[in-house]
Amino acid sequence: MRIISRKTLREFWDLHPDARQPLQAWYDDVKRAEWHSPADIKRIYRNASFLADNRVVFNIKGNKYRLIVAVQYAHGILFIRFVGIHRDYDKVDATTI
């Protein structure tokens, strides 16, 4: 998958250093993945949540952090829309961010 944009992850782990390793591992896994449907994601990430408009929520670092992405399956592109702590996640609409 082509991931846009890693910069968002780097900026987050600069503020939360304990998130660096799990976010880098997630990034490396997804970069090598070929996802054509939500089922492809669910095979690897059983705790991923699927929302409207091809949004997917990943639990990072034992559910300490949340990562929201928008996936364009047909083009193999994944857009990072949000990464944050639960308190910040609760303030956003994951289906439209």
Side-chain angles (χ1 to χ4, degrees):
M1 299 294 293
R2 183 171 162 216
I3 303 169
I4 302 172
S5 144
R6 186 174 185 192
K7 179 182 176 187
T8 304
L9 299 179
R10 280 194 307 262
E11 289 173 351
F12 184 77
W13 75 51
D14 284 347
L15 296 173
H16 303 273
D18 65 324
R20 182 179 186 143
Q21 189 281 326
L23 286 172
Q24 283 182 322
W26 176 89
Y27 181 89
D28 291 340
D29 287 346
V30 174
K31 187 171 66 172
R32 289 188 300 271
E34 290 185 24
W35 293 338
H36 302 286
S37 71
D40 294 334
I41 297 172
K42 200 66 165 174
R43 265 192 231 82
I44 307 295
Y45 295 97
R46 296 184 189 273
N47 292 329
S49 299
F50 299 89
L51 309 174
D53 201 23
N54 290 321
R55 296 293 200 273
V56 184
V57 180
F58 294 93
N59 297 318
I60 304 295
K61 192 168 173 34
N63 205 20
K64 184 174 182 179
Y65 303 112
R66 292 281 176 94
L67 173 64
I68 303 171
V69 302
V71 183
Q72 288 187 356
Y73 296 100
H75 301 290
I77 299 172
L78 184 143
F79 297 91
I80 296 172
R81 306 300 298 155
F82 170 87
V83 61
I85 61 175
H86 277 272
R87 183 176 59 240
D88 295 335
Y89 172 81
D90 291 340
K91 296 176 186 176
V92 301
D93 181 352
T95 61
T96 60
I97 192 167

